Amino acid sequence: MKKIDKYQLTSFLTKNKLYISIICAFVIMASLTTAIVYPFSISDNVVAEGSLEVAAIRKGDSGSKVKEIQRKLNEYGFSVGNVDGIFGSKTLQAVKNFQKSRGLVVDGIVGNATAKALGITLNSGSSGNSNYAGGDIYLLAKTIHAEARGEPYIGQVAVGAVVLNRVKSSSFPNTISGVVYQPWAFTAVHDGQINLEPNDSAMRAAKDAMNGWDPTNGCLYYFNPATATSKWIWSRKVQLTIGKHKFAI
């Protein structure tokens, strides 16, 4: 092996300084890029898409992507019943059963790993309603179930519509959670029935109300005359009666 003395080494480094600087710069940039792009591991509940993180799809969500999930589950033999685009209790159970069969984390959430196993991709427009946050449909369904279970379906939609009419009104909070949890606004919140699990009927009614079906034509109040204790509510102008509820403005 030919021996290189210090003078030859100095001469080589001087002549090739530019090339060496470029190589060092590339090495540093590559290290920084790795640190920025991969600062953490991606869980099944978050889907990395470019520089964005897209939330997974879970109970309470709705939309075309939920329909795609439901169709896939049915194809694999994990029945969700009707493919209605609403992530309700049946879809939740079907997802859990599918996850268990594939050796995935059984949490009922369609994240990265579950979506891949189903043969679908997730994206930022995959779920929810364009006018409301992802969990709003679930809270609205809980309110409908707590306040109107046992009522005809149109009456359930009507209760959901009243909540949404309040959201649009300047006289009430401008979010579904704000309206639902406004002090003494709903008996079901006061007595704890709001915590009951909504059934599929309530989930469908919430979706229909969010999609614009308002059987009340803009009513802001409803009450059951057989159980109402507030004298004030009787002062409201009743527009129609659906089931046991009177709807008023």
Side-chain angles (χ1 to χ4, degrees):
M1 181 175 178
K2 187 177 179 180
K3 188 175 181 180
I4 301 176
D5 60 35
K6 64 179 181 178
Y7 299 107
Q8 290 176 314
L9 179 60
T10 301
S11 176
F12 174 81
L13 292 175
T14 301
K15 291 179 181 179
N16 296 277
K17 184 187 297 183
L18 177 61
Y19 300 107
I20 294 172
S21 298
I22 293 173
I23 292 172
C24 290
F26 274 117
V27 171
I28 293 172
M29 289 176 65
S31 299
L32 289 174
T33 301
T34 302
I36 293 171
V37 176
Y38 303 107
F40 51 81
S41 61
I42 299 172
S43 71
D44 185 36
N45 293 338
V46 177
V47 181
E49 187 175 282
S51 60
L52 299 177
E53 290 177 14
V54 180
I57 298 176
R58 64 195 71 211
K59 186 172 183 181
D61 288 340
S62 65
S64 60
K65 187 58 65 171
V66 176
K67 284 187 177 181
E68 185 179 358
I69 292 170
Q70 291 174 325
R71 283 193 292 267
K72 283 291 186 179
L73 288 168
N74 281 340
E75 289 174 8
Y76 285 119
F78 299 89
S79 178
V80 301
N82 294 328
V83 177
D84 56 8
I86 301 173
F87 201 130
S89 298
K90 289 184 179 179
T91 300
L92 174 66
Q93 189 57 53
V95 169
K96 287 183 176 180
N97 292 339
F98 174 81
Q99 290 172 327
K100 185 176 181 180
S101 74
R102 297 301 191 271
L104 301 169
V105 175
V106 182
D107 58 5
I109 299 172
V110 180
N112 190 42
T114 301
K116 184 176 181 180
L118 283 169
I120 64 174
T121 58
L122 302 179
N123 55 64
S124 58
S126 62
S127 67
N129 182 286
S130 60
N131 297 320
Y132 299 98
D136 281 343
I137 189 171
Y138 183 55
L139 177 56
L140 186 61
K142 288 174 66 177
T143 306
I144 292 170
H145 181 71
E147 291 277 321
R149 64 184 182 279
E151 290 293 299
Y153 183 71
I154 188 174
Q156 295 179 36
V157 178
V159 166
V162 166
V163 173
L164 299 182
N165 289 340
R166 290 188 181 187
V167 172
K168 298 172 187 176
S169 171
S170 60
S171 300
F172 296 89
N174 60 0
T175 64
I176 290 178
S177 60
V179 166
V180 171
Y181 290 108
Q182 188 175 26
W184 299 100
F186 294 96
T187 302
V189 173
H190 178 63
D191 64 17
Q193 292 188 65
I194 189 68
N195 298 314
L196 295 174
E197 187 72 10
N199 56 22
D200 289 339
S201 178
M203 292 295 291
R204 290 196 305 273
K207 181 184 178 184
D208 279 337
M210 281 187 167
N211 285 337
W213 184 14
D214 181 5
T216 75
N217 293 315
C219 287
L220 295 172
Y221 307 94
Y222 65 87
F223 63 98
N224 183 338
T227 59
T229 57
S230 169
K231 294 181 179 180
W232 176 86
I233 195 64
W234 287 94
S235 68
R236 310 312 300 177
K237 183 178 180 181
V238 174
Q239 299 293 94
L240 72 162
T241 300
I242 304 175
K244 295 179 181 179
H245 285 140
K246 291 186 180 294
F247 293 83
I249 56 176

